[in-house]
Amino acid sequence: MLDARPTPLGPTSPELPAWADPTLFTASPQATEWGIFHAGKLAPMPLAEIVARVEAGPGVAQWHGGGERAEVVLVTRPESARPLAAVECPELQAAILRRDQQALSKARRKNGIVFYPLLAFTVLLDLGLHTFAILPAIFAMSTGAAHVEAWLTLNKLKSDPDKYLRGIAAQLRYAAWLTVSGVKHWCRTCAMLIIWLVIGCVEWFLPGPPGVGGEPGYIISAALVKSAIAAEPWRLLTATMLHGSIIHYIMNASAMFSLGLLLERGANRYLLTPVWLAGALAGSLLSWAGTSTTSVGASGGILAVFAFLLVMGQRRQSRLPPDFGSSLVRSLVMIAMLGLLAWGAIDNAAHLGGAIAGATIGYFVFRSDDGTLPLRDTSVLAAIGRIGDSLFVVAALFTMAKLLRII
């Protein structure tokens, strides 16, 4: 089992990533007894009751995504000077393993029951060349991802419980470290999502007069209409600011929120907009070269951020949680399968172009396997970041002007 004693390495030690620092969690106001530490408050509780709560788990998922009970994440123990992750506490690890094995078995079974019939249905729609296969494909891939993830994780738990617990502890610490970074490490992600939402509201609620053939006004104004690119090359970027529907926006926004936070906090805040812009432009160019259909969406840039993080996971394995890279690889497989199943509605060329751009930048930034993470702020990175921020804002304002027919 895991050694719950704090390691002597300090936060500035080169051998210890910042998220693995034993002082990551705040000091406990009362560390002389067992208890659950939640929302900055300590609830003293006997060890037997904590074990029972851990094994019971969060219960049935509620409408807001959380469980019916608060999950036991941090605990205090009599000899600990500060809160300790429950998974790092030897007295709770057996209960955690029992709980997770039961939950993973249930998730594998439940998602498998939905996934395989839905996958067959989606394939039949594809054979019939139905473009609306996008919706069943999305549900098939989401349930399929959950099914495969539960299956792989369950195998890991059974084959090596100690390694499984260490991985969970690392993920918990890394997630906690990401969220305590401060505004400067996630403001660009939020700003991009807000800007896309404002542009989307203009698209959806102030659509303007339709074009020839009844096409929506935003298609005529700023979409990636392939026949118009030679005369209006600005569409290569304006199209990436648009989303075809609210569902399209929600999908891209949810992906960008998690990936953007990982890049801003985990790599460097100044790299987010340059990486996204490079991927968006590369995706539009490859789509223009390889397809004839009109398209919109930020997915090319999002795939660039994804590919950049994938390279970071490969080049900086020692500075990241053990499952960081492998989880991204599994996500990449699911994205590829979604592209195949919903090929009639997804611009795979744009996705591929964005991924190539992001991976190229990643291999340049992480040229060696050794180095710090996050990357230190430098004047060069700051200048690149500000140029990227400015270009993003200019592209967004120009897109808005085109939608409102100001220019």
Side-chain angles (χ1 to χ4, degrees):
M1 294 298 178
L2 295 177
D3 185 355
R5 293 171 296 178
T7 171
L9 294 175
T12 59
S13 170
E15 292 83 11
L16 189 70
W19 54 266
D21 173 21
T23 65
L24 175 64
F25 301 121
T26 57
S28 172
Q30 183 180 2
T32 60
E33 58 185 323
W34 285 99
I36 295 176
F37 198 76
H38 180 69
K41 297 180 180 179
L42 172 63
M45 191 175 298
L47 175 58
E49 186 174 345
I50 296 177
V51 171
R53 287 200 177 197
V54 167
E55 196 160 1
V60 180
Q62 305 298 295
W63 63 270
H64 49 71
E68 57 185 336
R69 294 181 296 271
E71 188 172 0
V72 179
V73 178
L74 298 178
V75 298
T76 57
R77 56 200 311 237
E79 66 273 24
S80 177
R82 59 184 62 250
L84 185 72
V87 70
E88 295 177 320
C89 185
E91 294 86 347
L92 302 177
Q93 290 176 343
I96 290 172
L97 290 173
R98 290 192 297 269
R99 178 200 66 192
D100 288 2
Q101 182 170 350
Q102 182 180 11
L104 290 168
S105 297
K106 182 179 179 181
R108 181 187 61 177
R109 182 174 59 255
K110 181 178 67 174
N111 286 289
I113 290 173
V114 177
F115 168 62
Y116 291 109
L118 198 54
L119 178 63
F121 177 67
T122 305
V123 171
L124 289 175
L125 288 179
D126 282 330
L127 293 176
L129 303 182
H130 290 287
T131 57
F132 61 84
I134 178 66
L135 289 178
I138 290 172
F139 287 119
M141 286 304 97
S142 61
T143 55
H147 172 67
V148 172
E149 189 70 27
W151 175 60
L152 293 174
T153 307
L154 184 61
N155 286 344
K156 186 185 303 181
L157 184 155
K158 291 180 177 179
S159 62
D160 194 340
D162 286 352
K163 184 177 180 181
Y164 169 79
L165 291 170
R166 287 194 296 271
I168 295 298
Q171 292 173 21
L172 172 64
R173 284 184 166 274
Y174 191 70
W177 175 75
L178 286 175
T179 57
V180 297
S181 58
V183 174
K184 70 177 183 179
H185 286 113
W186 48 262
C187 63
R188 284 173 173 79
T189 299
C190 294
M192 292 172 73
L193 300 185
I194 292 171
I195 289 172
W196 289 341
L197 181 59
V198 172
I199 293 174
C201 288
V202 174
E203 286 181 70
W204 308 321
F205 303 115
L206 297 172
V212 178
E215 290 181 319
Y218 71 87
I219 296 290
I220 303 302
S221 301
L224 196 65
V225 180
K226 306 302 169 54
S227 59
I229 298 298
E232 301 174 336
W234 42 262
R235 288 178 180 267
L236 294 169
L237 276 183
T238 58
T240 66
M241 297 285 173
L242 307 175
H243 290 89
S245 66
I246 295 176
I247 293 177
H248 188 194
Y249 169 80
I250 292 174
M251 291 173 58
N252 277 348
S254 60
M256 187 62 187
F257 182 76
S258 57
L259 295 174
L261 178 61
L262 282 174
L263 195 154
E264 281 201 80
R265 175 57 164 154
N268 188 279
R269 55 188 168 136
Y270 292 121
L271 286 171
L272 181 64
T273 50
V275 170
W276 184 88
L277 283 167
L281 183 58
S284 291
L285 285 170
L286 192 58
S287 177
W288 178 33
T291 67
S292 59
T293 55
T294 299
S295 60
V296 296
S299 301
I302 295 173
L303 263 292
V305 174
F306 180 90
F308 179 90
L309 292 171
L310 192 62
V311 173
M312 184 180 81
Q314 178 193 18
R315 294 292 197 179
R316 295 288 189 272
Q317 292 183 41
S318 62
R319 312 298 297 176
L320 292 164
D323 291 335
F324 184 91
S326 59
S327 64
L328 287 176
V329 170
R330 292 195 294 272
S331 297
L332 180 62
V333 172
M334 292 300 171
I335 292 172
M337 289 185 64
L338 177 61
L340 290 174
L341 290 174
W343 60 271
I346 291 180
D347 191 340
N348 289 303
H351 286 190
L352 179 60
I356 292 173
T360 302
I361 296 173
Y363 278 111
F364 176 78
V365 171
F366 303 108
R367 292 183 291 277
S368 66
D369 294 338
D370 300 323
T372 60
L373 201 65
L375 301 173
R376 295 187 179 92
D377 287 345
T378 64
S379 58
V380 174
L381 278 179
I384 292 173
R386 292 186 179 111
I387 292 172
D389 295 343
S390 300
L391 289 175
F392 183 87
V393 171
V394 168
L397 291 174
F398 187 84
T399 303
M400 187 73 73
K402 296 301 293 185
L403 292 175
L404 295 174
R405 292 170 174 77
I406 297 175
I407 57 176

